[in-house]
Amino acid sequence: MNEQNIDLVIFGGMGDLAGRKLLPALYQIERSGLLSERIRLAVVARENIETKAFLAYAEQRIRKAIPSAEWVESVWEKLARRFSYLNIDFSNKKDFSRLKGWTDPNRLLICYMATPPSLFGAISQHLFDAGCIQESTRIVLEKPIGHNLESSCQVNDTVGRYFSERNIYRIDHYLGKETVQNLLALRFANRMINSQWDNTCIDHIQITVAETVGIEGRWGYYDQVGQLRDMLQNHLLQLLCMVAMEPPNSFAADEIRAEKIKILRALTIIDESKVEEHAVRGQYSAGWIAGQPVRGYTEEVDCKNEVSKTETFVAIKAHIDNWRWSGVPFYLRTGKRLGEKVTQVVITYKDQPHGIFPNRTDTSMNRLVIRLQPNEGIQLEMVAKKQSLKDRLSLEKRVLNLDFFDATGEERIPDAYERLLLEVFKGDQWLFVSREEIEASWHWCDSLIQAWQAKSLKVHRYSSGSTGPAKAEFLIERDQRSWFEE
Ligand code: BG6
């Protein structure tokens, strides 16, 4: 079979993910000329409409998601010609014969599940019963894959009955971000950085994923999961792996995954005896974001539980039990409705072994700030002599700034989903998460959740628009360190 003859079927193609991410990503891939002529697209959803009505909807969603200057009518017309709309009720086995009629056994079928995970099993089974699944058929799964280790195993077992592991593409969209991949380049293509990347040189590492958005009308889902399961179990732990893993033998999927899994398995379990010192939970109350008043979590319009104790913020002090990272704390924090949207990794280096300058302070430590979004770039804080005839050898902090966006001269940074869709078409799993990784992440998170449940860990309130609960400051200040805030 010619691998380039591809049929991509998006299940849940009228849903939020497809509208916000997948359709715009397909448009941008088409615009950049990278969508092979031999790719056909189908959208499968419950709505009883024709392809024409779907195209009107898709056009409107894409226009809304991209800057107007990037709209090119001829690109859209070319993309639109690839689409078919199939009206299928996912719970109705018989409807799948319509899909079977559309597919072609001589083409590679890729099934993208932009649906709630509870449907992954049923859809896979119906696909199988309808005779759509061949040995080469790929399936793409969106998170969340379960809400704990047990349920994630159930999802993986069910899907695994119909698809082999090498054909299962589990998305963590952070891995599709250009700047996250850039972490690999930064670490492994720069001797200067690589040679200083361990506990002999690094004092501690901070990973922050701060969001200004709230739960965006997803109260029903979010209240069942909270920020640890929604963000830390996947995105932050994947970032942690990228920062902490050993150099892989190559960038082949198996090699990278093997290194990531070692990190996840080396995470020290935070049990009841440690949880109060290592974890902070928070929940946003009303406040102001970008000059606008916003509601508190339990005042959101779709709130069903006014006394909910679900966390919308979490800060964790983690350790990796291995040779390279022994004694180096990793401070992780993520929260909704914070003052600024920022994703960054901050590496703070140890001070010199012996001080020969007078008046040295902690601020003279070197710090490498890797900003993943927005304003993608790197800052290196260095210490230099203060230029002055008055002072003999006074020091001051200077910052070297590398802005990726300006430096590349690129028109725009591609969205994560553009990269991920291209990798699925190519059949390369290097940016997708393996079953073992998911299970190791859940294993660690489950113990943490059990520990905080056993200790009834308080959920501290923080005002929307702030940097999170004050208790999160104590988590790091207790160690004579502080969060990096620009
Ligand atoms: C999703 C979470 O996985 O990531 C959302 O479910 C979160 O709650 C989103 O807002 C953040 O992604 P990004 O790309 O905007 O940082």
Side-chain angles (χ1 to χ4, degrees):
M1 184 194 308
N2 184 339
E3 289 277 293
Q4 285 296 96
N5 283 331
I6 293 174
D7 286 345
L8 173 70
V9 180
I10 305 175
F11 290 83
M14 300 285 284
D16 185 57
L17 176 76
R20 269 188 318 113
K21 295 290 183 184
L22 303 179
L23 298 173
L26 286 166
Y27 170 84
Q28 295 288 18
I29 303 175
E30 183 80 272
R31 195 169 75 96
S32 54
L34 294 173
L35 200 59
S36 156
E37 297 295 330
R38 287 182 272 174
I39 293 183
R40 292 196 305 167
L41 305 167
V43 159
V44 173
R46 233 177 254 259
E47 283 76 358
N48 192 7
I49 55 170
E50 299 291 322
T51 301
K52 200 169 160 213
F54 165 73
L55 289 176
Y57 163 81
E59 177 178 347
Q60 171 236 324
R61 293 300 304 247
I62 297 169
R63 280 184 187 264
K64 195 171 158 202
I66 64 166
S68 53
E70 290 173 12
W71 180 261
V72 182
E73 198 61 34
S74 57
V75 169
W76 163 242
E77 282 165 9
K78 189 168 178 207
L79 183 68
R81 280 196 294 277
R82 298 175 188 267
F83 274 111
S84 301
Y85 179 84
L86 302 173
N87 166 220
I88 291 179
D89 176 352
F90 301 150
S91 60
N92 189 349
K93 189 174 162 171
K94 285 198 196 121
D95 279 9
F96 281 72
S97 56
R98 219 168 286 151
L99 178 61
K100 173 70 180 158
W102 180 81
T103 56
D104 174 345
N106 296 315
R107 300 171 63 88
L108 172 70
L109 179 66
I110 302 177
C111 302
Y112 196 119
M113 300 290 147
T115 64
S118 53
L119 294 173
F120 294 170
I123 296 178
S124 304
Q125 172 153 17
H126 293 332
L127 281 168
F128 177 78
D129 292 343
C132 297
I133 302 178
Q134 300 191 62
E135 220 188 306
S136 60
T137 307
R138 296 178 194 157
I139 186 166
V140 185
L141 304 180
E142 274 289 340
K143 72 174 258 280
I145 310 242
H147 55 273
N148 56 18
L149 177 58
E150 197 187 336
S151 54
S152 81
C153 288
Q154 278 164 6
V155 175
N156 283 324
D157 284 346
T158 315
V159 175
R161 251 176 251 143
Y162 308 102
F163 296 89
S164 61
E165 181 65 18
R166 73 188 160 82
N167 287 329
I168 303 177
Y169 292 71
R170 296 180 193 83
I171 294 224
D172 183 310
H173 79 277
Y174 269 55
L175 295 180
K177 290 181 190 270
E178 280 285 302
T179 44
V180 174
Q181 293 149 35
N182 204 10
L183 275 172
L184 300 177
L186 187 73
R187 284 194 56 197
F188 302 128
N190 292 287
R191 178 68 189 253
M192 194 183 92
I193 288 183
N194 195 13
S195 59
Q196 317 288 317
W197 207 258
D198 61 17
N199 58 4
T200 61
C201 297
I202 291 177
D203 175 73
H204 75 279
I205 294 182
Q206 299 178 16
I207 301 181
T208 298
V209 181
E211 304 183 86
T212 49
V213 291
I215 46 162
E216 299 191 291
R218 297 184 300 159
W219 216 90
Y221 154 77
Y222 191 88
D223 200 53
Q224 298 301 310
V225 295
Q227 195 73 351
L228 180 90
R229 292 184 175 103
D230 185 49
M231 293 291 289
L232 198 133
Q233 181 271 336
N234 35 73
H235 308 323
L236 274 90
L237 289 187
Q238 284 295 322
L239 285 177
L240 175 85
C241 288
M242 294 297 224
V243 170
M245 71 182 187
E246 294 299 313
N249 292 347
S250 73
F251 289 110
D254 287 351
E255 302 289 352
I256 299 189
R257 289 167 164 199
E259 296 306 334
K260 287 199 285 175
I261 192 81
K262 282 190 212 156
I263 293 296
L264 294 168
R265 288 189 183 143
L267 279 167
T268 312
I269 295 292
I270 301 177
D271 61 16
E272 277 178 57
S273 66
K274 300 197 200 101
V275 74
E276 280 156 324
E277 291 213 342
H278 286 71
V280 173
R281 303 172 73 206
Q283 187 188 84
Y284 63 82
S285 50
W288 292 78
I289 302 228
Q292 297 296 321
V294 294
R295 292 167 190 263
Y297 176 68
T298 52
E299 295 140 21
E300 294 282 7
V301 271
D302 44 352
C303 166
K304 302 272 178 329
N305 174 10
E306 280 157 21
V307 291
S308 168
K309 292 279 176 283
T310 296
E311 83 286 348
T312 61
F313 175 100
V314 65
I316 307 286
K317 176 177 163 184
H319 282 100
I320 298 171
D321 276 334
N322 70 10
W323 193 284
R324 186 186 285 265
W325 297 115
S326 176
V328 178
F330 285 73
Y331 298 95
L332 315 175
R333 67 179 166 159
T334 178
K336 305 234 180 277
R337 285 279 187 241
L338 299 175
E340 203 190 346
K341 178 168 173 78
V342 59
T343 301
Q344 68 193 5
V345 177
V346 179
I347 317 289
T348 303
Y349 289 87
K350 288 187 169 161
D351 210 346
Q352 303 297 345
H354 174 64
I356 52 172
F357 292 93
N359 308 324
R360 275 186 72 88
T361 64
D362 268 357
T363 54
S364 60
M365 282 168 146
N366 289 138
R367 195 152 45 187
L368 179 66
V369 181
I370 309 166
R371 285 190 318 267
L372 303 172
Q373 58 182 19
N375 309 328
E376 296 77 358
I378 295 174
Q379 274 180 9
L380 180 59
E381 294 185 357
M382 312 210 35
V383 181
K385 181 192 170 299
K386 203 176 192 171
Q387 289 200 31
S388 154
L389 279 178
K390 271 192 277 156
D391 297 318
R392 185 162 166 261
L393 248 185
S394 290
L395 303 179
E396 67 178 355
K397 182 171 276 188
R398 304 292 287 270
V399 180
L400 282 173
N401 225 325
L402 173 64
D403 189 328
F404 292 142
F405 198 58
D406 276 358
T408 58
E410 292 279 338
E411 200 188 319
R412 65 182 191 98
I413 295 185
D415 186 73
Y417 279 90
E418 296 171 40
R419 159 70 68 180
L420 294 175
L421 281 168
L422 283 171
E423 297 299 329
V424 180
F425 294 150
K426 268 193 255 158
D428 191 338
Q429 293 225 346
W430 75 295
L431 297 176
F432 296 86
V433 186
S434 69
R435 175 172 182 157
E436 281 180 305
E437 286 172 72
I438 301 259
E439 291 178 2
S441 314
W442 275 127
H443 173 66
W444 187 75
C445 289
D446 281 359
S447 333
L448 177 57
I449 293 169
Q450 273 158 23
W452 80 30
Q453 281 169 346
K455 285 283 179 184
S456 307
L457 204 69
K458 198 172 164 197
V459 178
H460 301 268
R461 308 270 277 173
Y462 61 95
S463 303
S464 290
S466 67
T467 54
K471 188 79 180 172
E473 308 292 329
F474 301 144
L475 176 97
I476 189 164
E477 282 169 9
R478 197 189 288 127
D479 300 339
Q480 281 79 51
R481 300 179 177 115
S482 59
W483 292 108
F484 173 80
E485 310 287 354
E486 247 176 312

